[in-house]
Amino acid sequence: MNPKLRVTVWGENVHEKKNKTVAAVYPKGMHGCIADALQQDSQLDVRTATLDQPEHGLTKAVLESTDVLTWWGHMAHGEVQDEIVDRVQERVLQGMGLIVLHSAHYAKIFKRLLGTTCSLTWREAGETERLWVCNPGHPIAQGIDRYFEIEQEEMYGEPFAIPNPDEIVFISWFRGGEVFRSGCTFKRGNGKIFYFRPGHEMYPTYHNPTVQRILRNAVAWARPDGKWIDTCPNVPVEKAPEKITERGPHMHKPGEAGYR
Amino acid sequence: MNPKLRVTVWGENVHEKKNKTVAAVYPKGMHGCIADALQQDSQLDVRTATLDQPEHGLTKAVLESTDVLTWWGHMAHGEVQDEIVDRVQERVLQGMGLIVLHSAHYAKIFKRLLGTTCSLTWREAGETERLWVCNPGHPIAQGIDRYFEIEQEEMYGEPFAIPNPDEIVFISWFRGGEVFRSGCTFKRGNGKIFYFRPGHEMYPTYHNPTVQRILRNAVAWARPDGKWIDTCPNVPVEKAPEKITERGPHMHKPGEAGYR
Amino acid sequence: MNPKLRVTVWGENVHEKKNKTVAAVYPKGMHGCIADALQQDSQLDVRTATLDQPEHGLTKAVLESTDVLTWWGHMAHGEVQDEIVDRVQERVLQGMGLIVLHSAHYAKIFKRLLGTTCSLTWREAGETERLWVCNPGHPIAQGIDRYFEIEQEEMYGEPFAIPNPDEIVFISWFRGGEVFRSGCTFKRGNGKIFYFRPGHEMYPTYHNPTVQRILRNAVAWARPDGKWIDTCPNVPVEKAPEKITERGPHMHKPGEAGYR
Amino acid sequence: MNPKLRVTVWGENVHEKKNKTVAAVYPKGMHGCIADALQQDSQLDVRTATLDQPEHGLTKAVLESTDVLTWWGHMAHGEVQDEIVDRVQERVLQGMGLIVLHSAHYAKIFKRLLGTTCSLTWREAGETERLWVCNPGHPIAQGIDRYFEIEQEEMYGEPFAIPNPDEIVFISWFRGGEVFRSGCTFKRGNGKIFYFRPGHEMYPTYHNPTVQRILRNAVAWARPDGKWIDTCPNVPVEKAPEKITERGPHMHKPGEAGYR
């Protein structure tokens, strides 16, 4: 009787149309590959949405019926409408989980929720990445050995300009000499957020079974605990928990909403 | 030879012109009162800036020469230009301290840096507030007894929709029955942020010597440790710390900047 | 096919035998009352253990088969054997959840896991406590209104000498004028820890349906995500992920364990 | 008129007497080398203490006059008397800074303050370590470039079994393929704690100018903000901030201390 978790996989879907290498690696689009990986878990009900759809596929109805949203974007961050970013942020604060993938460290929604630049250093050289589990009991690391390797990946290096994460699940070692906090959790409002580093569009990273396992773990971890819509209510004097008498001058008239 | 700390006190300065009670309580403006309080510390070099000035008084030159910025706003949050908010955010991430006061929990810059709604419950009844020190060794609480009281204040109640603070310095008790996390610290980029709850415009809160002491403590605490301008550099293969050979396909051309 | 969560309710069970008031309020012991409250959730498999049993009822076999342990103690903290505290700590670090109740803020196991004195201020005057939810989406607060009241409780006041909690779920308001962080979460190793303030032995707090609901929520929240036994392994040169050659002098002989 | 910061450098000083390599690298002892490095800062007043002295050189008088304590230990952790550990912990909670070095991750005082096993993986192969700054504005990283290298070091690898640090200043890359959170800050009570990874006894790490710079930075960062001695006071009914009347039964007699 446990209803399925409703997941929406958002993909920018631009590289796939413009670049033959990307198209060959991800014939169904990167979002299609990620959705297939998630669908292997029968407890997940998965659909996709892309930038080129009306409202980027993220209508109020879609978001309202999404428990966890995954987000991959890169060259078209600037084309995502602010109104849609507002809408996604609102849902995260209410409790929707958000999985932010690779180059989406620069997505508007990620910078909006974290408040920092989210910058990093980078190199595209197809070098080996080794991800170490530094939090072995974490739900997102279940079933993963002490480390795993990705033969070819883009390098992302520290400093990663984010607020201190709530938890660090993975740290990466790169052949070229850098390190990176590759799996980080945050909470904003009621929403759980997981940033996961791997996933350069030129390489078959999302076909990697270990990466797919982590995506499924992350989606399950990010499921909402409940829903909370904050309303900033005025509490009139007569409804104060303790009986008090109003004193002194007023700025606000009775029943007036506060300034926002 | 220790140079003075350069503080800019930003005030919305609208209530003071429109409301006789506020004007009577703060004849020099709320920003003027706060600036006077800070100026009692001879190590501080204090100036003010207000909404109605060009660029809200926060030109690039002013911000560049500001170590710590204090911010009070209420009814005109919406009139603060986004370009100025961008500019303040950039300086905070570089290391400028930010003290956010009372109703500025809804200021654009605070919501921008925290990523949440920053909402709360409220009541304007002139009730007594008692602030407890819950972190007695914290620099911001130095010289403050176990608690202090403000005879008349607006009530702010939990839930306060912020990310979990790095530290909680004060928690408030209100006569009407509510509680609130009234002194919270955050770090974003290199910048230290302190939110301090008291300061309703209708009451003489910023004339209170204990409140003034806390403002001076907070400004000293928020002083920059250094300056960091993040640039998201590409690290070319030949500059990798370890010698590696480039492999596989490329999305980016040599020397190209990444997508933002 | 979801197996039940195995809960052990530990009670000091000394006041109940020595004090007629406590015995009258809790005829089955405080642990008996708490166990009954938990047993209302059919997903929980609940047993009890007390100080006067061999090994305080916390044998290796009992702890090995415990998913979540609840702990109430007060006047006999010093009688808990250090060997049993070691054993409980080990299981928490492996992943066993721990719910620490009221005066157990001074329990050896709580101080051991947090590293601080865990002190606070207090008053036994039967005053009203009002607990505010400051994290409305948290699993432990599910089904709880904006606040709830306990007619008669002991007062605990700030400063509460704990490390900064991961999350604050409840903050208390006391009629006598104090505040307290009454619901705090921590993680140590793989174990989730929840401290919950109410529960003075002289009052019927654990008969309160809202308190009972929170206990059930907390136990469910603290369930293990997995089990991790850390072993501090030596990684011999020939098993390094990257091929390296040993260089320089040695302190340790091959195969030798490190110093602890 | 700014008084000097009083630093005590604690050294186990056992390897230096038993092993010729260590004695040759550190003819004045490791503690002597560290003390010399700190003494380069004229604002520091530095002395040393070692295991073999009465009370391990950490008498009440010494600790009372210490602002920051540094700690290096390895093979003799078990010989440190619990009474001295209690004493050091008490001073840290009051505000004394603590710098924990390399193999002292297993020191009793570190495990006591963190509550976890503090285990890790390790390899002694004289491999290259590269430490990346991941928090470039942090006081401890001032004057350090994007990264620095140590030609020969012991490897420590993740998972490092510590609670989530307040801040991560450095992450290490090892030639053999591992990563490690090498510079971590914590706060316990009023005391600031910094763990710094490098410093294997067989190599000249503490002669490295960059390492020495970090040690000086760390000591300055850990300086006490104030002193707080917690006393867990009972607040009698007549001294409650709000006037209340005592109600209901009592466990404690007036003036009685609480149970610890």
Side-chain angles (χ1 to χ4, degrees):
Chain A
M1 271 308 296
N2 198 9
K4 291 189 175 192
L5 199 65
R6 299 163 301 174
V7 185
T8 301
V9 174
W10 192 86
E12 191 179 90
N13 198 28
V14 178
H15 288 303
E16 294 93 322
K17 296 190 221 159
K18 295 195 171 180
N19 184 293
K20 288 183 182 175
T21 304
V22 181
V25 177
Y26 294 108
K28 296 172 73 175
M30 299 181 78
H31 55 283
C33 179
I34 293 169
D36 286 351
L38 296 177
Q39 202 65 77
Q40 291 177 32
D41 180 344
S42 64
Q43 295 305 305
L44 303 183
D45 181 6
V46 185
R47 60 186 159 184
T48 65
T50 53
L51 180 68
D52 55 1
Q53 295 175 327
E55 306 183 45
H56 311 325
L58 299 174
T59 61
K60 286 185 187 180
V62 165
L63 285 174
E64 197 57 44
S65 58
T66 297
D67 294 314
V68 181
L69 177 68
T70 75
W71 193 281
W72 194 100
H74 185 211
M75 64 183 294
H77 293 318
E79 293 175 34
V80 177
Q81 299 166 48
D82 287 337
E83 188 190 338
I84 306 300
V85 178
D86 293 345
R87 197 183 280 172
V88 173
Q89 180 184 24
E90 187 182 13
R91 281 288 295 137
V92 170
L93 299 180
Q94 286 174 10
M96 183 181 73
L98 180 68
I99 312 299
V100 177
L101 296 169
H102 190 62
S103 44
H105 69 94
Y106 270 153
K108 286 182 180 180
I109 183 62
F110 193 55
K111 293 190 289 184
R112 175 81 68 87
L113 286 161
L114 296 198
T116 57
T117 61
C118 304
S119 75
L120 41 79
T121 71
W122 59 284
R123 177 176 56 238
E124 189 190 22
E127 67 202 90
T128 299
E129 174 178 15
R130 179 180 299 110
L131 292 100
W132 288 90
V133 174
C134 40
N135 205 328
H138 198 283
I140 296 177
Q142 293 311 296
I144 311 300
D145 205 351
R146 292 176 54 230
Y147 66 83
F148 72 99
E149 295 177 1
I150 302 176
E151 176 61 20
Q152 279 194 307
E153 252 297 349
E154 187 178 22
M155 182 281 290
Y156 279 7
E158 293 283 341
F160 186 16
I162 50 172
N164 196 42
D166 292 345
E167 301 170 296
I168 298 180
V169 184
F170 302 108
I171 294 179
S172 289
W173 180 102
F174 289 95
R175 177 95 56 186
E178 281 87 355
V179 296
F180 195 72
R181 288 170 287 173
S182 282
C184 298
T185 74
F186 304 91
K187 197 168 180 206
R188 288 295 178 271
N190 281 349
K192 301 194 197 85
I193 302 167
F194 180 61
Y195 174 78
F196 187 51
R197 199 213 75 82
H200 188 48
E201 64 275 5
M202 302 298 277
Y203 312 127
T205 298
Y206 295 122
H207 293 287
N208 179 313
T210 304
V211 168
Q212 293 188 351
R213 170 76 191 255
I214 290 169
L215 294 176
R216 288 191 295 271
N217 284 349
V219 163
W221 167 83
R223 71 166 62 219
D225 292 313
K227 181 173 178 177
W228 179 57
I229 300 177
D230 74 81
T231 53
C232 190
N234 177 265
V235 181
V237 173
E238 64 274 16
K239 294 206 173 166
E242 299 289 316
K243 190 172 178 180
I244 54 172
T245 307
E246 203 158 346
R247 301 183 302 176
H250 292 235
M251 172 58 58
H252 300 277
K253 300 197 186 75
E256 187 184 283
Y259 299 112
R260 295 217 181 197
Chain B
M1 267 311 294
N2 197 9
K4 290 189 176 191
L5 199 66
R6 299 162 301 175
V7 185
T8 301
V9 174
W10 193 86
E12 190 179 271
N13 198 27
V14 177
H15 288 303
E16 294 92 322
K17 297 189 222 158
K18 294 195 172 179
N19 183 293
K20 289 183 182 173
T21 303
V22 181
V25 177
Y26 294 108
K28 296 172 73 175
M30 300 181 77
H31 55 284
C33 180
I34 292 169
D36 286 351
L38 295 177
Q39 202 65 79
Q40 291 177 30
D41 180 344
S42 64
Q43 294 306 305
L44 303 182
D45 182 6
V46 184
R47 59 186 159 184
T48 64
T50 53
L51 179 69
D52 55 1
Q53 295 176 329
E55 306 183 45
H56 311 324
L58 299 174
T59 61
K60 286 184 185 179
V62 165
L63 285 174
E64 197 58 43
S65 59
T66 295
D67 294 313
V68 181
L69 177 68
T70 75
W71 193 281
W72 194 100
H74 185 210
M75 64 183 293
H77 293 317
E79 293 175 34
V80 177
Q81 299 167 49
D82 288 337
E83 188 190 337
I84 306 300
V85 178
D86 293 346
R87 196 183 280 172
V88 173
Q89 180 185 23
E90 187 182 13
R91 280 288 295 137
V92 170
L93 298 180
Q94 287 175 9
M96 183 181 73
L98 180 68
I99 312 298
V100 177
L101 297 170
H102 189 63
S103 44
H105 68 95
Y106 270 152
K108 286 181 179 181
I109 183 62
F110 193 56
K111 294 189 290 184
R112 174 81 68 89
L113 286 160
L114 296 198
T116 58
T117 61
C118 303
S119 75
L120 42 77
T121 71
W122 60 284
R123 177 176 55 239
E124 190 190 21
E127 68 201 270
T128 299
E129 174 179 14
R130 179 180 299 110
L131 291 100
W132 288 90
V133 175
C134 39
N135 205 328
H138 199 282
I140 297 178
Q142 293 310 297
I144 311 300
D145 205 351
R146 292 176 53 229
Y147 65 84
F148 72 99
E149 294 177 2
I150 301 176
E151 176 63 18
Q152 279 194 309
E153 252 297 349
E154 188 178 22
M155 182 283 289
Y156 280 7
E158 293 282 343
F160 186 16
I162 50 172
N164 196 42
D166 293 344
E167 301 170 296
I168 298 180
V169 184
F170 303 107
I171 294 178
S172 288
W173 179 103
F174 289 94
R175 176 94 57 188
E178 281 88 355
V179 296
F180 195 73
R181 288 170 287 174
S182 282
C184 298
T185 75
F186 305 90
K187 198 167 179 206
R188 289 294 177 272
N190 280 349
K192 302 195 197 85
I193 302 167
F194 179 59
Y195 174 78
F196 187 50
R197 198 214 74 83
H200 188 48
E201 66 274 6
M202 303 297 276
Y203 313 126
T205 298
Y206 293 122
H207 294 286
N208 179 313
T210 304
V211 168
Q212 293 189 351
R213 170 77 189 257
I214 291 168
L215 294 176
R216 287 190 297 268
N217 285 349
V219 162
W221 167 83
R223 72 166 60 220
D225 292 314
K227 181 174 178 177
W228 179 58
I229 300 177
D230 74 81
T231 53
C232 192
N234 176 265
V235 181
V237 172
E238 64 274 15
K239 294 204 173 167
E242 299 288 315
K243 190 173 177 180
I244 54 172
T245 307
E246 203 158 344
R247 302 184 302 177
H250 291 234
M251 172 58 58
H252 300 276
K253 301 198 185 76
E256 188 184 282
Y259 299 112
R260 294 217 182 197
Chain C
M1 268 311 294
N2 198 9
K4 291 190 176 191
L5 199 66
R6 299 162 302 174
V7 185
T8 301
V9 173
W10 192 85
E12 189 179 273
N13 198 28
V14 177
H15 288 302
E16 293 93 323
K17 296 188 220 159
K18 294 195 171 180
N19 183 293
K20 289 184 182 173
T21 303
V22 181
V25 176
Y26 294 107
K28 297 172 74 174
M30 299 181 76
H31 55 284
C33 180
I34 292 169
D36 286 350
L38 295 177
Q39 203 64 78
Q40 290 176 32
D41 180 344
S42 64
Q43 295 305 305
L44 304 182
D45 181 5
V46 184
R47 60 188 160 184
T48 65
T50 53
L51 180 69
D52 55 2
Q53 295 175 329
E55 306 183 45
H56 310 325
L58 299 174
T59 61
K60 287 185 186 179
V62 165
L63 285 174
E64 198 57 44
S65 58
T66 296
D67 294 312
V68 181
L69 177 68
T70 75
W71 193 281
W72 194 101
H74 185 211
M75 64 183 293
H77 293 317
E79 293 175 35
V80 177
Q81 299 166 48
D82 288 337
E83 188 191 337
I84 306 300
V85 177
D86 293 345
R87 196 184 281 172
V88 173
Q89 179 184 23
E90 187 182 14
R91 280 288 295 136
V92 170
L93 298 180
Q94 287 174 10
M96 182 181 74
L98 180 68
I99 312 298
V100 177
L101 296 170
H102 190 63
S103 44
H105 68 95
Y106 270 152
K108 286 181 179 181
I109 183 62
F110 193 55
K111 294 189 289 184
R112 173 81 67 88
L113 287 160
L114 296 198
T116 57
T117 62
C118 304
S119 75
L120 42 80
T121 72
W122 60 284
R123 177 176 56 239
E124 189 190 22
E127 67 201 89
T128 298
E129 174 179 15
R130 178 179 301 109
L131 292 100
W132 289 89
V133 174
C134 39
N135 205 328
H138 198 282
I140 296 177
Q142 293 310 297
I144 310 301
D145 205 351
R146 291 176 54 229
Y147 65 84
F148 71 99
E149 294 176 2
I150 302 176
E151 176 63 18
Q152 279 195 308
E153 252 296 349
E154 188 178 21
M155 182 282 289
Y156 280 8
E158 293 283 342
F160 186 16
I162 50 172
N164 196 43
D166 293 345
E167 301 170 296
I168 299 180
V169 184
F170 303 108
I171 294 178
S172 288
W173 179 103
F174 288 96
R175 176 95 58 186
E178 280 87 355
V179 295
F180 195 73
R181 288 170 287 173
S182 283
C184 298
T185 74
F186 305 90
K187 197 168 180 205
R188 289 294 178 273
N190 281 347
K192 302 195 196 84
I193 302 167
F194 180 60
Y195 174 78
F196 187 50
R197 199 214 73 82
H200 188 48
E201 65 275 5
M202 303 297 276
Y203 312 127
T205 298
Y206 294 122
H207 293 286
N208 179 312
T210 304
V211 168
Q212 293 188 352
R213 170 76 190 256
I214 290 169
L215 294 176
R216 288 191 296 270
N217 285 348
V219 163
W221 167 84
R223 72 166 60 220
D225 292 314
K227 181 174 178 176
W228 179 58
I229 300 178
D230 74 81
T231 54
C232 190
N234 176 265
V235 182
V237 172
E238 63 274 15
K239 294 206 174 166
E242 299 289 316
K243 190 172 177 179
I244 54 172
T245 307
E246 203 158 346
R247 301 184 301 177
H250 292 236
M251 172 58 59
H252 300 276
K253 300 196 185 74
E256 188 184 282
Y259 298 113
R260 295 218 182 195
Chain D
M1 270 308 296
N2 198 9
K4 291 189 176 192
L5 200 65
R6 300 163 301 174
V7 185
T8 302
V9 174
W10 193 86
E12 190 179 271
N13 198 28
V14 178
H15 288 303
E16 294 93 323
K17 296 188 221 159
K18 295 195 171 178
N19 184 291
K20 288 182 182 176
T21 303
V22 181
V25 177
Y26 294 109
K28 297 172 72 175
M30 300 181 77
H31 55 285
C33 180
I34 292 170
D36 285 351
L38 295 177
Q39 202 65 77
Q40 291 177 31
D41 180 344
S42 63
Q43 295 305 306
L44 303 183
D45 182 7
V46 184
R47 60 186 158 184
T48 65
T50 52
L51 180 69
D52 55 1
Q53 295 175 328
E55 305 183 45
H56 311 324
L58 300 174
T59 62
K60 286 185 188 180
V62 165
L63 285 174
E64 197 58 44
S65 58
T66 297
D67 294 313
V68 181
L69 177 68
T70 75
W71 193 281
W72 194 99
H74 185 210
M75 65 183 292
H77 294 317
E79 293 175 34
V80 177
Q81 299 167 48
D82 288 336
E83 188 190 338
I84 307 299
V85 178
D86 293 346
R87 198 183 279 171
V88 173
Q89 179 184 24
E90 187 182 13
R91 280 289 295 136
V92 170
L93 298 180
Q94 288 174 10
M96 183 181 73
L98 180 67
I99 312 298
V100 177
L101 297 169
H102 190 62
S103 44
H105 69 95
Y106 270 152
K108 285 183 180 180
I109 183 61
F110 192 56
K111 294 190 290 184
R112 175 80 68 86
L113 287 160
L114 296 198
T116 57
T117 61
C118 304
S119 73
L120 42 78
T121 71
W122 60 284
R123 177 176 56 239
E124 190 190 22
E127 67 201 270
T128 298
E129 174 178 15
R130 179 180 299 111
L131 291 100
W132 288 89
V133 174
C134 38
N135 204 328
H138 198 281
I140 296 177
Q142 293 310 297
I144 310 300
D145 205 350
R146 291 176 54 229
Y147 65 84
F148 71 101
E149 294 177 1
I150 302 175
E151 176 62 18
Q152 279 194 308
E153 253 297 349
E154 187 178 23
M155 182 282 289
Y156 280 7
E158 294 282 343
F160 187 15
I162 51 172
N164 196 42
D166 293 345
E167 301 170 297
I168 298 180
V169 184
F170 303 108
I171 294 178
S172 288
W173 179 102
F174 289 95
R175 176 96 54 187
E178 280 88 354
V179 296
F180 195 73
R181 287 170 289 174
S182 282
C184 299
T185 75
F186 305 91
K187 197 166 180 207
R188 288 296 178 271
N190 282 348
K192 302 196 196 83
I193 302 167
F194 180 60
Y195 174 79
F196 187 50
R197 199 214 74 82
H200 188 49
E201 65 275 5
M202 303 297 277
Y203 312 127
T205 298
Y206 294 122
H207 292 287
N208 179 313
T210 304
V211 168
Q212 293 188 352
R213 170 78 190 255
I214 290 169
L215 293 176
R216 288 191 295 270
N217 285 349
V219 162
W221 167 83
R223 72 167 60 222
D225 293 312
K227 181 173 177 177
W228 179 58
I229 300 177
D230 75 80
T231 53
C232 191
N234 177 265
V235 182
V237 173
E238 64 275 16
K239 294 205 172 166
E242 299 288 315
K243 190 172 178 181
I244 54 172
T245 307
E246 202 157 345
R247 300 183 302 177
H250 292 235
M251 172 59 57
H252 300 275
K253 299 197 186 75
E256 188 185 282
Y259 300 112
R260 295 217 181 196

